Amino acid sequence: MAEQNYEEILKSLTLEEKASLCSGLTNWLTKPIEEKGVPSVWVSDGPSGLRKEKVFEGGKTNIMQEPEPATCFPGAAATASSWDEELVEEVGSAIAREAKALKVCTVLGPGVNIKRSPLCGRNFEYFSEDPFLAGRMGAGWVHGVQKENIGTSLKHFVANNQEHIRMSISSIVDERALREIYMPAFEYIVKHEQPTTVMCSYNQLNEVFLSDNKRMLTDVLRDEWGFEGIVVSDWGAVNDRVEGIRAGLDLEMPGNKGLNDRHIVAAVQNGTLKEEELDRVVLRMIKFAIENKAREVDDFKVDLDANHEIARKASANSAVLLKNVDKALPLKKEEKIAVIGQMAKHARFQGAGSSHIGCTKITSFTDMLDAEKQPYEYADGYTLKGDGMSKKLLKEAIELAKGKDKVLLFIGLTDAYESEGYDRTHLNMPESHNVLANELLKVNPNIIVVLSVGAPVKLGEWEKDVKAILNMYIGGQAVGEATYDLLYGAVNPSGKLAETYPFHNHDNIVANYFSMGPRTVEYRESIYVGYRYFDKVNKPVRYPFGYGLSYTQFEYSNLKLSAKKIKETDGLTVSFKVKNVGDVAGAEVAQLYVADVESTIFRPVKELKGFKKVFLEPGEEKTVEIKLDSRAFAYYNVLIKDWHVESGDFRILVGASSRDIKLEDTVFVESANPDAPIPDYTKSAPYYYELTGEETEIPKEQFEVLYGAEIPNNDEFKKGELTKNAVIYQCAVSPFGRFLYRAAMLGAKIIAKSAENPEMIIESVRDVPIRYASTMTGGLVSEYSLQGLVKMVNGKRGGFRQLLRGFRKKYKAMIIEEW
């Protein structure tokens, strides 16, 4: 349909109809106006596979109810480790075909938030600590989905890097860190793939909710980057719906029976919102609904068996071989093996939360051994509850391990240890897993560890003594088959870490400023995230960013630059050769880093600016070519509000990881803007130049220099300070607030008893904002009643009366509406 027709539909709508299009009909459907030609379309989670909630009697759905069967693919933490954009594209296309079969118009993914800390509970759903890698992998996923004529939702925009108080906390981030670390993945995908939608995050950015943030949603997203789609809220993320319209938030989800639509109508009528501001949003919603409905295909059939094989391939090509002493792997078929650990039989193959898939089938490692008629003996070793310790199971496992050629030990993080809704508080695995590994080593030195984790973990003393470690991450429903393929050599491991594995959490200064609260979280480390910090302070890590082993070996040679001196606008072509010098076929991820030799402003030691996965037969050699544009040499200059290259020498580093550089050369780059003022913080914020790794705190005054203002207050809330955005646990500052908190937690614990992941239920309720009483109940609690509730938790008089009066008005109106 032509743009002109959308305009005609817009002109035909009443004010009330316009407002109605600004929120959902249900949890997953947009609102239609059929008589005016605006249809309803369905959106569904998720990044690791489709999670379409089943439709119940009366057409109702509910969040986190039973989904339709779908293929569960490896999570983003796994697929990022493939460093294979084409593979991620293939996964995206497979998910899109399943969406097409179920008439879902938009899949809510990918998540490209940066892994600021390894403790973020949702890291399994995100790609990397590095924005370049996250952007390329996310773009591959979006391309794969959208080429199948299914929409995507790029999320969670922006600086949503922790789960604790995620729905109200304010991320305090300096502009340069925003531009260089937290925004580039979004920017790249918007500019190169034009995702159908962008999802704004729950949190505040520098004290402005993203759902109200005109600078982010319009000035940056649309005006700077050229975004053409719609902006949708994360589910329940809306703070002020009228302000959101001004900011450029198009669609509020989930539906709440028109609660905020009425505020939009009132604002236009009283002149506080211009109708043309509303019209901009409504026009985008009309276009979104009509164009996405037109893509629906009747009776589309999807090959779920083929998708399972794609999941198997993706898992095998994403796994990271961390250790392999004495060529312990691959296994030989004739070797006598013991398989120990419940994760071998009950695979942890996906994360918990909104991305949880109802799988078409699940294959564990023991299932695969049985299918292949491969002899083995099995012992549980631990339970999957709590820390999993069981003396009986431990003893059985020790006995079983004796005399075996190899012991395959399956350990990692159980569902309770990482999930959407809460962050980890440490890097440890369940204690039973570490005890089991240590005890098995006493009776058999040939231990092969298979890890199932969604994020870095602290490896115990056993790490130095086991023969091999294979990290499968959260590998999807075919992870058992993929593990078998890798352990027995049908597939050669080729994954590389998309994140750093530190020895200890406190090895990184960000540990002091992660999962803060109650009001703010301060990103005092600025640009020094992940390997950028560890390289700056030259601190040892357990496994570096970009690291991963193979069953073969590779050699790098013949580095060539297209020029030794260039203008910034010229770009640079880097070529080199990679050769497989081993005796089996394999793939190497060649990585290119750029380092500014000398700069006025503080910069990372090196930054990833290119990579290529190369598949090679034994003895085969290929030439790899990577092109660098001006952004590869640039930093974000806050004085000119643009990217800037400072003239000088830049080292071109090619290697197998961030800590394993094989080839090096230097190029001189001439700035296109040599007269631009350059920020110099050597006197006002010397910390950022002089990092040693021994610091325990980043001086507040120096971070304020970068931030450009005083850091906001982060004191505990007191009685009288709470707003509708205060979370449940923060309400315990008054007698009624304590009662509400205790009642909510009691209810959460009762519900959690029957939940797969009780911790997620309990922690999510603890951190839920008061406003959810209204926005997530379909408006059962009116705005007026909500204000009364806020008064009550603040210990103010008249709150209970207002709460009841609001209920009376609400239900009187409902009765009249029914008549």
Side-chain angles (χ1 to χ4, degrees), residues 544-556:
F545 175 83
Y547 170 85
L549 302 176
S550 170
Y551 295 154
T552 190
Q553 301 81 42
F554 301 96
E555 283 185 356
Y556 291 69

PDB file of all heavy atoms in Angstrom, residues 544-556:
ATOM      1  N   PRO A 544      41.316 -15.505  27.598  1.00  0.00           N
ATOM      2  CA  PRO A 544      41.105 -14.173  27.047  1.00  0.00           C
ATOM      3  C   PRO A 544      39.996 -14.115  25.997  1.00  0.00           C
ATOM      4  O   PRO A 544      39.606 -15.138  25.411  1.00  0.00           O
ATOM      5  CB  PRO A 544      42.459 -13.826  26.415  1.00  0.00           C
ATOM      6  CG  PRO A 544      43.049 -15.147  26.062  1.00  0.00           C
ATOM      7  CD  PRO A 544      42.579 -16.115  27.114  1.00  0.00           C
ATOM      8  N   PHE A 545      39.517 -12.928  25.746  1.00  0.00           N
ATOM      9  CA  PHE A 545      38.567 -12.668  24.675  1.00  0.00           C
ATOM     10  C   PHE A 545      39.148 -13.160  23.356  1.00  0.00           C
ATOM     11  O   PHE A 545      40.309 -12.922  23.036  1.00  0.00           O
ATOM     12  CB  PHE A 545      38.295 -11.164  24.600  1.00  0.00           C
ATOM     13  CG  PHE A 545      37.410 -10.749  23.451  1.00  0.00           C
ATOM     14  CD1 PHE A 545      36.038 -10.827  23.547  1.00  0.00           C
ATOM     15  CD2 PHE A 545      37.971 -10.265  22.277  1.00  0.00           C
ATOM     16  CE1 PHE A 545      35.226 -10.446  22.489  1.00  0.00           C
ATOM     17  CE2 PHE A 545      37.172  -9.873  21.213  1.00  0.00           C
ATOM     18  CZ  PHE A 545      35.796  -9.967  21.323  1.00  0.00           C
ATOM     19  N   GLY A 546      38.330 -13.882  22.587  1.00  0.00           N
ATOM     20  CA  GLY A 546      38.778 -14.380  21.295  1.00  0.00           C
ATOM     21  C   GLY A 546      39.500 -15.708  21.326  1.00  0.00           C
ATOM     22  O   GLY A 546      39.908 -16.226  20.287  1.00  0.00           O
ATOM     23  N   TYR A 547      39.625 -16.319  22.517  1.00  0.00           N
ATOM     24  CA  TYR A 547      40.404 -17.550  22.682  1.00  0.00           C
ATOM     25  C   TYR A 547      39.572 -18.786  22.366  1.00  0.00           C
ATOM     26  O   TYR A 547      38.386 -18.855  22.671  1.00  0.00           O
ATOM     27  CB  TYR A 547      40.912 -17.630  24.123  1.00  0.00           C
ATOM     28  CG  TYR A 547      41.535 -18.949  24.524  1.00  0.00           C
ATOM     29  CD1 TYR A 547      42.879 -19.214  24.262  1.00  0.00           C
ATOM     30  CD2 TYR A 547      40.779 -19.924  25.167  1.00  0.00           C
ATOM     31  CE1 TYR A 547      43.458 -20.420  24.640  1.00  0.00           C
ATOM     32  CE2 TYR A 547      41.347 -21.138  25.551  1.00  0.00           C
ATOM     33  CZ  TYR A 547      42.679 -21.380  25.284  1.00  0.00           C
ATOM     34  OH  TYR A 547      43.253 -22.576  25.651  1.00  0.00           O
ATOM     35  N   GLY A 548      40.205 -19.781  21.780  1.00  0.00           N
ATOM     36  CA  GLY A 548      39.579 -21.075  21.547  1.00  0.00           C
ATOM     37  C   GLY A 548      40.539 -21.993  20.820  1.00  0.00           C
ATOM     38  O   GLY A 548      41.290 -21.551  19.939  1.00  0.00           O
ATOM     39  N   LEU A 549      40.553 -23.271  21.190  1.00  0.00           N
ATOM     40  CA  LEU A 549      41.469 -24.251  20.598  1.00  0.00           C
ATOM     41  C   LEU A 549      40.774 -25.063  19.510  1.00  0.00           C
ATOM     42  O   LEU A 549      39.558 -24.978  19.330  1.00  0.00           O
ATOM     43  CB  LEU A 549      42.007 -25.186  21.678  1.00  0.00           C
ATOM     44  CG  LEU A 549      42.762 -24.531  22.845  1.00  0.00           C
ATOM     45  CD1 LEU A 549      43.143 -25.592  23.878  1.00  0.00           C
ATOM     46  CD2 LEU A 549      43.999 -23.798  22.349  1.00  0.00           C
ATOM     47  N   SER A 550      41.570 -25.858  18.808  1.00  0.00           N
ATOM     48  CA  SER A 550      41.095 -26.703  17.721  1.00  0.00           C
ATOM     49  C   SER A 550      41.808 -28.045  17.821  1.00  0.00           C
ATOM     50  O   SER A 550      42.804 -28.185  18.538  1.00  0.00           O
ATOM     51  CB  SER A 550      41.381 -26.031  16.376  1.00  0.00           C
ATOM     52  OG  SER A 550      41.148 -26.899  15.292  1.00  0.00           O
ATOM     53  N   TYR A 551      41.319 -29.052  17.094  1.00  0.00           N
ATOM     54  CA  TYR A 551      42.029 -30.328  16.996  1.00  0.00           C
ATOM     55  C   TYR A 551      43.167 -30.261  15.976  1.00  0.00           C
ATOM     56  O   TYR A 551      43.892 -31.231  15.781  1.00  0.00           O
ATOM     57  CB  TYR A 551      41.067 -31.451  16.594  1.00  0.00           C
ATOM     58  CG  TYR A 551      40.002 -31.759  17.627  1.00  0.00           C
ATOM     59  CD1 TYR A 551      38.790 -32.321  17.250  1.00  0.00           C
ATOM     60  CD2 TYR A 551      40.210 -31.503  18.980  1.00  0.00           C
ATOM     61  CE1 TYR A 551      37.806 -32.624  18.172  1.00  0.00           C
ATOM     62  CE2 TYR A 551      39.236 -31.794  19.920  1.00  0.00           C
ATOM     63  CZ  TYR A 551      38.028 -32.361  19.507  1.00  0.00           C
ATOM     64  OH  TYR A 551      37.053 -32.656  20.430  1.00  0.00           O
ATOM     65  N   THR A 552      43.288 -29.096  15.319  1.00  0.00           N
ATOM     66  CA  THR A 552      44.395 -28.883  14.386  1.00  0.00           C
ATOM     67  C   THR A 552      45.131 -27.608  14.767  1.00  0.00           C
ATOM     68  O   THR A 552      44.805 -26.966  15.780  1.00  0.00           O
ATOM     69  CB  THR A 552      43.885 -28.836  12.928  1.00  0.00           C
ATOM     70  OG1 THR A 552      45.005 -28.869  12.037  1.00  0.00           O
ATOM     71  CG2 THR A 552      43.057 -27.599  12.659  1.00  0.00           C
ATOM     72  N   GLN A 553      46.142 -27.222  13.974  1.00  0.00           N
ATOM     73  CA  GLN A 553      46.913 -26.020  14.271  1.00  0.00           C
ATOM     74  C   GLN A 553      46.946 -25.134  13.028  1.00  0.00           C
ATOM     75  O   GLN A 553      46.859 -25.618  11.898  1.00  0.00           O
ATOM     76  CB  GLN A 553      48.355 -26.369  14.685  1.00  0.00           C
ATOM     77  CG  GLN A 553      48.462 -27.263  15.917  1.00  0.00           C
ATOM     78  CD  GLN A 553      48.253 -28.720  15.569  1.00  0.00           C
ATOM     79  OE1 GLN A 553      48.758 -29.199  14.557  1.00  0.00           O
ATOM     80  NE2 GLN A 553      47.498 -29.429  16.400  1.00  0.00           N
ATOM     81  N   PHE A 554      47.107 -23.819  13.279  1.00  0.00           N
ATOM     82  CA  PHE A 554      47.097 -22.857  12.183  1.00  0.00           C
ATOM     83  C   PHE A 554      48.329 -21.951  12.268  1.00  0.00           C
ATOM     84  O   PHE A 554      48.807 -21.638  13.359  1.00  0.00           O
ATOM     85  CB  PHE A 554      45.832 -21.995  12.236  1.00  0.00           C
ATOM     86  CG  PHE A 554      44.566 -22.791  12.154  1.00  0.00           C
ATOM     87  CD1 PHE A 554      43.881 -23.168  13.314  1.00  0.00           C
ATOM     88  CD2 PHE A 554      44.050 -23.185  10.929  1.00  0.00           C
ATOM     89  CE1 PHE A 554      42.721 -23.913  13.248  1.00  0.00           C
ATOM     90  CE2 PHE A 554      42.883 -23.929  10.851  1.00  0.00           C
ATOM     91  CZ  PHE A 554      42.215 -24.300  12.017  1.00  0.00           C
ATOM     92  N   GLU A 555      48.797 -21.541  11.110  1.00  0.00           N
ATOM     93  CA  GLU A 555      49.900 -20.578  11.026  1.00  0.00           C
ATOM     94  C   GLU A 555      49.435 -19.338  10.272  1.00  0.00           C
ATOM     95  O   GLU A 555      48.680 -19.444   9.295  1.00  0.00           O
ATOM     96  CB  GLU A 555      51.110 -21.195  10.301  1.00  0.00           C
ATOM     97  CG  GLU A 555      51.917 -22.146  11.151  1.00  0.00           C
ATOM     98  CD  GLU A 555      53.170 -22.636  10.419  1.00  0.00           C
ATOM     99  OE1 GLU A 555      53.340 -22.281   9.225  1.00  0.00           O
ATOM    100  OE2 GLU A 555      53.965 -23.370  11.033  1.00  0.00           O
ATOM    101  N   TYR A 556      49.902 -18.180  10.736  1.00  0.00           N
ATOM    102  CA  TYR A 556      49.607 -16.901  10.095  1.00  0.00           C
ATOM    103  C   TYR A 556      50.868 -16.379   9.421  1.00  0.00           C
ATOM    104  O   TYR A 556      51.977 -16.523   9.963  1.00  0.00           O
ATOM    105  CB  TYR A 556      49.146 -15.875  11.133  1.00  0.00           C
ATOM    106  CG  TYR A 556      47.792 -16.125  11.759  1.00  0.00           C
ATOM    107  CD1 TYR A 556      47.569 -17.185  12.631  1.00  0.00           C
ATOM    108  CD2 TYR A 556      46.724 -15.263  11.501  1.00  0.00           C
ATOM    109  CE1 TYR A 556      46.342 -17.398  13.221  1.00  0.00           C
ATOM    110  CE2 TYR A 556      45.485 -15.462  12.084  1.00  0.00           C
ATOM    111  CZ  TYR A 556      45.303 -16.531  12.945  1.00  0.00           C
ATOM    112  OH  TYR A 556      44.076 -16.732  13.534  1.00  0.00           O
TER     113      TYR A 556
END
